[in-house]
Amino acid sequence: MAKASSEGTIGISEIIKQIEKKVFAPIYLFYGNEQYIIEEIIRLIVDTAVDPALRQLNVEKYYCSETDSETIVTSALSIPMLSERKVIIVRDYEKINDSKALRHYFEHPSQSTILVLTANSIDKRKSIFSIIAKIGVTIKCENLKKPELIEWVKNKIHSYGKEISDPTIEMLFDLKGNSLQEVYTELEKVITFAGDKKKIDEKDILSVTGATKEFNVFELINLIGNGEKSKAIIMMNKLLDQNTEPILIVNLLSRHFIILWKIQNLKRVNQNPNEIASVMQINPYFLKDYLSQADKFNIVKLEKCIEFLKNADLQLKSVSLPKRIILDKLLCDLITPAR
């Protein structure tokens, strides 16, 4: 679940448990940059609090940029229609016009209304925030860190009766970023694509994201390993012409070279291919290609390549040079370091 902090004594996991048990707070304030988890909790509140047949009568939505606070208060004070509760969802809470009526409602909320406020950010210095935190629940939802994201994806995959390895999840992050909404959208596609297949692998991720059309990391590595500088530069420029993000190319190359480095180290201690596949969590479908590519680089060259990739990543993030120049130099460095 998304990382969150609560200004009260309750955390987001406990909030979800209470909602599932139909124990509701009169006011919820969700804010932060992880919109997916905010929407997921709102859906849970609506699904749990109001019968589907009565939602049209008892679920109302407002945007503060279009509605004044008096209208929201009037709606919140009105009784539910043929239902124990009603839910009012108020978007862009940071744009609400403060009023005496609103403050009075926050201090004395209706027990038959669940008022859900969402915002991108809030000013905790305002006294109205303290009032909400005292009578209701305030939660900040932030982007997950990579270990938390990996755990979240695994839980989602497991809920569908399937498995996925950490390297495969990391490939998904490399391709789609760390937004839960983006990742979840792709997971739904991957699960559908996999059908009855129990284990999701890198081939499934590449196929569903369309990355096989934009970026073939094996082909590019082979060009680099074979010293085919001209072809590698042509391919790189083609990727850039297709609007492939330079940082994505570098991230995928870095991940790939690190895998090759680990494979070479495992081979040095005489581990056989099956043991390597198990330790590295590499799908057998890709193992032969990884072993073949690893043979084209010794440890020293791989370590130099990884260092070149780190420098390129830093330059893309901090230097004003054209990105094509940075990537062209990177390819030359990857192809020419001493063997």
Side-chain angles (χ1 to χ4, degrees), residues 207-270:
S207 297
V208 169
T209 60
T212 49
K213 297 177 182 178
E214 295 180 331
F215 185 84
N216 189 325
V217 67
F218 288 108
E219 181 181 346
L220 188 55
I221 289 287
N222 276 328
L223 291 173
I224 294 170
N226 292 332
E228 298 182 65
K229 185 186 300 184
S230 297
K231 289 184 179 180
I233 290 174
I234 290 171
M235 182 179 180
M236 184 74 79
N237 285 324
K238 183 178 179 180
L239 294 174
L240 294 174
D241 290 340
Q242 293 173 342
N243 296 319
T244 306
E245 281 293 327
I247 199 70
L248 170 62
I249 296 172
V250 172
N251 284 345
L252 288 174
L253 284 172
S254 297
R255 174 182 172 278
H256 202 84
F257 271 101
I258 289 170
I259 289 174
L260 298 184
W261 178 82
K262 289 180 179 178
I263 289 174
Q264 279 288 31
N265 277 289
L266 289 171
K267 289 174 68 177
R268 290 171 76 179
V269 294
N270 298 318

Side-chain angles (χ1 to χ4, degrees), residues 113-127:
T113 295
I114 301 171
L115 180 60
V116 180
L117 312 171
T118 73
N120 291 319
S121 61
I122 51 94
D123 186 349
K124 294 183 182 181
R125 295 171 298 179
K126 292 184 177 180
S127 59

Side-chain angles (χ1 to χ4, degrees), residues 12-13 19 40 50 55 75 105 122 142 164 187 207 325:
I12 194 166
S13 297
I19 292 170
E40 196 171 61
V50 183
R55 283 176 195 167
S75 177
Y105 181 83
I122 51 94
E142 301 176 310
I164 189 169
L187 282 180
S207 297
I325 291 178

Side-chain angles (χ1 to χ4, degrees), residues 271-294:
Q271 287 194 294
N272 62 46
N274 289 334
E275 290 173 333
I276 290 174
S278 176
V279 171
M280 296 296 299
Q281 292 187 293
I282 295 174
N283 188 278
Y285 179 88
F286 291 101
L287 182 59
K288 184 178 178 181
D289 286 328
Y290 273 119
L291 292 173
S292 174
Q293 290 170 13

Side-chain angles (χ1 to χ4, degrees), residues 168-182:
T168 303
I169 295 173
E170 289 187 5
M171 172 177 276
L172 178 61
F173 296 155
D174 287 338
L175 292 167
K176 303 308 295 184
N178 292 349
S179 163
L180 277 179
Q181 181 60 68
E182 288 284 338

